[in-house]
Amino acid sequence: MSWHDTPQQAIEDYLEALLHDDLLEEAPAPADVAPMSLQREESLQARQLSDSMERARQAARPAAPAMPLETVEPVPRVILPDLQMPAVEPEAVTEVVIPEPEVSAPEPIDVPEPIKVPEAIETPAVPEPVAPVVQDENKHPAQPPTPPGWKNGRPVWAQERFECLLFKVKGLTLAVPLVELGGIIKIEKEPTPLFGQPSWFIGMLRSNNMNVCMVDTAQWVLPPALIAKNPEPYKLIIRIHNSVWGLSCNEVDRSISLQPDQVRWRTSLGKRPWLAGTVIDHMCALIDVAAFDRLLREGHGELEPANLSVLKDMDE
């Protein structure tokens, strides 16, 4: 087993992915495609090599034999005797006089007086209104929206030092602030299943004269592959902020005290709005309890919301 396969390294990788689940990796360039500059350089070298080989072939080729010149026989000259041609007298030319035509004077044409065009009046140029300078909002991108119930980039209960309870779900350590903790319930009997509820709703458990909705926490915080590798049954329920929701867990670890700067707080909602941040020193993920309660009521992604009408009927 390599060090990459150790549980500690797997947890560190998963916690790192929790805060960076929306980052996209650039696709690497194919290995068989050379850069454009290298292709141009190889093409130039290929042309030079081809020209050199052509010149070498022409130098090695034997010279063609000279073609014999054809002998041109001289054309015999034919001498004609002097012949006396009879003289031809020129014919008399009769001069013909063509009378010039009489040209009459042109009749006068009345030309109208030119129309006087009034001189154009110069109008003073009106300056165009100057548009007010508007600051480009795209130059400085807006900050991501603050999650509901947060202040100064963290939850309201985390403005100063706060206490947390650590508990484990299928091997993953989670932390819930004590101010949001409603109680710890031991599972001593089977919960009552309810018809018409999503798969993460395990059932209803009666405790201290109240109904607690047992939530399969692993479906919300872990990928299916890690859930399948840890079939350990739940033993406890962490009830959150006096609500009907109980987060199922395998064991409760201990309580710790944290400073706000010890937490790597979430900067955007991402794919896991229930996550408030991670604490690398304690290898745990900190839960945003208010967001978790909202997700259970409204659903998220492939996880459907709870049927609140059925829960209301049971309370009545």
Side-chain angles (χ1 to χ4, degrees), residues 113-293:
E113 297 180 358
I115 300 174
K116 295 182 179 182
V117 181
E119 298 181 357
I121 301 174
E122 296 183 359
T123 57
V126 180
E128 297 182 357
V130 180
V133 179
V134 180
Q135 185 177 2
D136 187 6
E137 296 181 356
N138 297 328
K139 186 176 181 180
H140 302 286
Q143 296 295 328
T146 303
W150 283 41
K151 180 182 178 182
N152 299 327
R154 54 184 183 267
V156 177
W157 43 262
Q159 299 301 308
E160 299 177 354
R161 177 180 288 273
F162 58 95
E163 305 291 327
C164 285
L165 176 69
L166 302 183
F167 62 97
K168 293 186 178 182
V169 176
K170 305 291 185 181
L172 176 66
T173 302
L174 300 175
V176 58
L178 292 183
V179 295
E180 301 284 354
L181 181 63
I184 301 175
I185 302 173
K186 186 177 181 180
I187 302 176
E188 296 178 340
K189 58 182 179 180
E190 291 293 328
T192 303
L194 296 182
F195 178 76
Q197 296 294 347
S199 61
W200 55 262
F201 192 102
I202 298 178
M204 187 76 70
L205 193 66
R206 188 73 177 177
S207 177
N208 296 330
N209 298 324
M210 66 175 302
N211 295 322
V212 179
C213 300
M214 190 172 172
V215 177
D216 188 353
T217 315
Q219 291 194 33
W220 287 95
V221 302
L222 287 173
L226 294 182
I227 298 176
K229 292 182 179 180
N230 195 337
E232 183 181 356
Y234 293 121
K235 299 178 181 179
L236 301 169
I237 297 176
I238 306 297
R239 191 167 62 87
I240 56 177
H241 62 67
N242 296 323
S243 69
V244 297
W245 303 115
L247 305 182
S248 304
C249 66
N250 299 102
E251 62 176 294
V252 173
D253 191 355
R254 66 187 188 278
S255 61
I256 59 175
S257 179
L258 295 174
Q259 289 285 3
D261 56 1
Q262 292 181 269
V263 182
R264 293 179 56 185
W265 299 103
R266 179 187 67 197
T267 57
S268 61
L269 293 178
K271 298 179 181 179
R272 301 173 179 87
W274 56 266
L275 179 68
T278 57
V279 187
I280 300 299
D281 294 341
H282 296 275
M283 299 299 300
C284 66
L286 184 60
I287 293 178
D288 186 347
V289 177
F292 214 134
D293 176 58

Side-chain angles (χ1 to χ4, degrees), residues 291-305:
F292 214 134
D293 176 58
R294 185 169 58 255
L295 294 177
L296 298 176
R297 296 177 182 273
E298 301 176 0
H300 181 70
E302 298 180 356
L303 298 177
E304 300 178 357

